[in-house]
Amino acid sequence: MHQFQYRQGVLHCEEVNLNTLAAEHGTPLYVYSARTLRENYQRLDEALKNLDHHIAYAVKANSNLSVLRLLAELGSGFDIVSGGELFRVIKAGGNPGLCSFAGVGKTAEEITYALEQKIYCFNIESLAELEFINSVAGENSTTAPIALRINPNVDAGTHKYISTGKAENKFGIDHEAVREVYERAARLPHIRIRGIQMHIGSQLTSATPFVEAVERVLPLVSELKSAHDLEFFSIGGGIGIVYEEALASGHPDWWNRQEEPPLSPEIYANKLVPLLDSLGLKILLEPGRYMSGNAGVLLTTCLYEKKGQAKTFKIVDAGMNDLIRPALYEGHHEIVPLEESRMTNRITADVVGPICESGDFFCQGREIPDIKANDIIALMSAGAYSFTMASNYNSRPLPAEILIDGRQVHLARRRQSWDDLVTSE
Ligand code: LLP
């Protein structure tokens, strides 16, 4: 559920009219709802209330300082994957002591910084990395808290680029090898074993793969808990969101109407809590997309219509550099006109950006509202992996980001200028 709804015929974010906002700040423009972020966090926290748990928001989904600050204020921890993300969390007032550092390729510089900041845990992905972190910790006369990331070899049933828990993926340590690597870790002088972690993939729309993965690793986790005095088990992120009917899914009614409701915190908790609560470990979660995905939209203006021989194109002022998910993962973002009246006339068209690539599209051959030049549309569910994956390709300045809270409009990041494009060259 989220806070993007039509009021008096115009799409609003919370109390703010998005047409007025776009007139003031220009497009392309990312807009986030603070209330949605808070509700998402609290709903998951509430669903898990009978379990000793902690939420570590996956910063990569949306790392704007204002978003991180809001989540830090709610008590969130953070799942980070780079020194830069740790730097952001600290700048936003987040607690480094609640940060777990994931990723297969941590550098000496990043490890040293994370040790200095006394992060909660390094999630280790290989024996080589374990040995390296031990040596860096030694050079810094300290001890590194660690968890091993276990690869449970289950199919998450998601897009191949965002599936991470199969044996052929680069992530984690094979289930069969984990015991031995823990034994090695226990003998290293600058390593302190703290937990175990897994993450099987992103945008999972069913609880089944989570259950399968937890069931598969549970006996081993229990054994390692006794052998190495583990404190936590992180079950990763991956809770999927609704992309296809994103606008409608903002209303509770929509959820009640579904015969088979999509994955929700309640379904996730109902399936997983019974498996986990007897373990006696703190359970960490690393949701990224669930937290911010439906809390954001990308506003873009239609520049031209072009009727080709084979197709109709609506050319907009956002491009694949601003939102790459359709090009990279065949990601679906619902297209919603800011003027509700535009909803009635439908047309089959491609919505494309100005970038010089055929992969620069937001939809292809989709039935969409028949938008005209100067109409603004919202690309829905663009709060996760959207701005964070944006680039300056084609020398396009990065869009501005706005955080709405009730009636309040906060410029969370100013639009880049052409000068910004060249200042570091
Ligand atoms: N934990 C780890 C170790 C991860 O690698 C990820 C995401 C997460 C947590 C958060 O997963 P989430 O709850 O957001 O599903 N750019 C892609 C998604 C990449 C996900 C990478 N890892 C997309 O736009 O679909």
Side-chain angles (χ1 to χ4, degrees):
M1 278 168 277
H2 58 74
Q3 296 283 336
F4 294 89
Q5 264 123 44
Y6 284 117
R7 294 184 183 195
Q8 290 92 44
V10 180
L11 193 68
H12 280 58
C13 172
E14 306 193 16
E15 319 303 326
V16 174
N17 177 318
L18 291 181
N19 254 335
T20 316
L21 190 77
E24 195 170 326
H25 294 273
T27 57
L29 184 69
Y30 275 102
V31 184
Y32 309 127
S33 155
R35 201 180 288 160
T36 307
L37 287 163
R38 281 191 208 105
E39 282 171 1
N40 287 348
Y41 180 92
Q42 283 156 350
R43 184 172 169 194
L44 183 60
D45 205 33
E46 174 69 21
L48 296 161
K49 66 169 188 271
N50 294 328
L51 190 69
D52 177 16
H53 72 278
H54 201 93
I55 296 174
Y57 166 67
V59 172
K60 62 175 86 67
N62 186 324
S63 57
N64 187 286
L65 294 182
S66 302
V67 170
L68 299 182
R69 189 171 302 123
L70 180 153
L71 291 169
E73 281 165 7
L74 293 171
S76 185
F78 297 94
D79 168 60
I80 55 167
V81 291
S82 69
E85 286 192 349
L86 177 56
F87 181 77
R88 279 184 172 277
V89 168
I90 294 169
K91 282 277 171 205
N95 179 356
L98 295 178
C99 286
S100 346
F101 192 168
V104 296
K106 304 174 190 79
T107 65
E109 186 190 15
E110 292 176 315
I111 296 164
T112 306
Y113 176 48
L115 286 169
E116 281 164 9
Q117 296 300 327
K118 304 202 178 347
I119 64 161
Y120 180 66
C121 195
F122 291 89
N123 294 339
I124 294 204
E125 307 239 12
S126 64
L127 180 59
E129 186 195 339
L130 174 70
E131 304 273 355
F132 187 63
I133 291 186
N134 176 62
S135 70
V136 177
E139 282 158 27
N140 288 278
S141 316
T142 185
T143 303
I146 66 110
L148 298 186
R149 174 169 179 176
I150 181 169
N151 183 326
N153 194 18
V154 296
D155 189 353
T158 184
H159 191 278
K160 63 179 186 216
Y161 288 180
I162 52 177
S163 182
T164 52
K166 291 275 286 173
E168 68 250 34
N169 299 129
K170 69 178 175 181
F171 299 100
I173 297 168
D174 294 333
H175 192 270
E176 296 68 30
V178 163
R179 204 178 273 113
E180 216 174 301
V181 183
Y182 269 105
E183 278 159 23
R184 176 71 187 141
R187 288 196 301 273
L188 290 171
H190 302 290
I191 292 292
R192 172 184 160 215
I193 297 172
R194 195 154 200 182
I196 183 158
Q197 192 263 358
M198 71 174 185
H199 169 76
I200 58 170
S202 195
Q203 184 54 15
L204 275 67
T205 50
S206 148
T208 309
F210 290 114
V211 170
E212 206 185 312
V214 168
E215 281 177 342
R216 187 163 302 176
V217 302
L218 220 46
L220 182 60
V221 173
S222 208
E223 176 197 319
L224 292 166
K225 181 197 166 205
S226 329
H228 299 289
D229 201 16
L230 303 187
E231 162 185 325
F232 76 89
F233 174 25
S234 169
I235 57 172
I239 303 175
I241 61 166
V242 176
Y243 280 101
E244 299 267 339
E245 289 184 67
L247 182 64
S249 74
H251 296 266
D253 295 354
W254 182 87
W255 292 78
N256 297 333
R257 279 202 309 273
Q258 303 303 306
E259 267 172 37
E260 212 183 307
L263 186 58
S264 64
E266 295 76 25
I267 296 175
Y268 180 82
N270 285 344
K271 296 275 186 195
L272 291 174
V273 173
L275 295 177
L276 294 167
D277 65 356
S278 58
L279 198 57
L281 287 175
K282 181 197 285 294
I283 302 300
L284 296 193
L285 297 101
E286 305 165 1
R289 188 189 320 261
Y290 159 77
M291 207 69 83
S292 63
N294 66 5
V297 298
L298 174 60
L299 302 185
T300 177
T301 305
C302 181
L303 299 172
Y304 309 105
E305 180 180 63
K306 172 169 162 172
K307 284 199 193 318
Q309 225 170 33
K311 280 186 153 189
T312 297
F313 298 98
K314 304 283 184 179
I315 302 166
V316 296
D317 67 356
M320 67 191 285
N321 71 299
D322 301 304
L323 176 57
I324 202 173
R325 301 196 65 266
L328 199 54
Y329 316 109
E330 299 160 312
H332 180 105
H333 290 267
E334 194 179 343
I335 290 169
V336 170
L338 296 196
E339 294 287 348
E340 193 173 12
S341 58
R342 282 280 186 247
M343 277 292 209
T344 34
N345 283 345
R346 316 284 293 177
I347 183 177
T348 299
D350 288 18
V351 174
V352 302
I355 302 272
C356 302
E357 298 219 21
S358 295
D360 181 29
F361 59 82
F362 295 115
C363 72
Q364 289 182 305
R366 194 191 295 173
E367 197 194 287
I368 56 159
D370 190 11
I371 49 166
K372 303 292 174 200
N374 299 318
D375 282 355
I376 302 175
I377 55 172
L379 296 165
M380 301 296 290
S381 322
Y385 305 111
S386 297
F387 185 91
T388 48
M389 297 184 75
S391 78
N392 289 123
Y393 187 40
N394 278 206
S395 288
R396 288 167 49 83
L398 292 173
E401 293 174 283
I402 302 273
L403 181 68
I404 302 288
D405 197 355
R407 277 173 216 293
Q408 271 179 314
V409 173
H410 168 65
L411 180 61
R413 181 187 175 109
R414 70 164 170 80
R415 185 178 303 284
Q416 276 188 332
S417 65
W418 287 338
D419 271 331
D420 290 329
L421 295 177
V422 297
T423 45
S424 35
E425 290 175 31

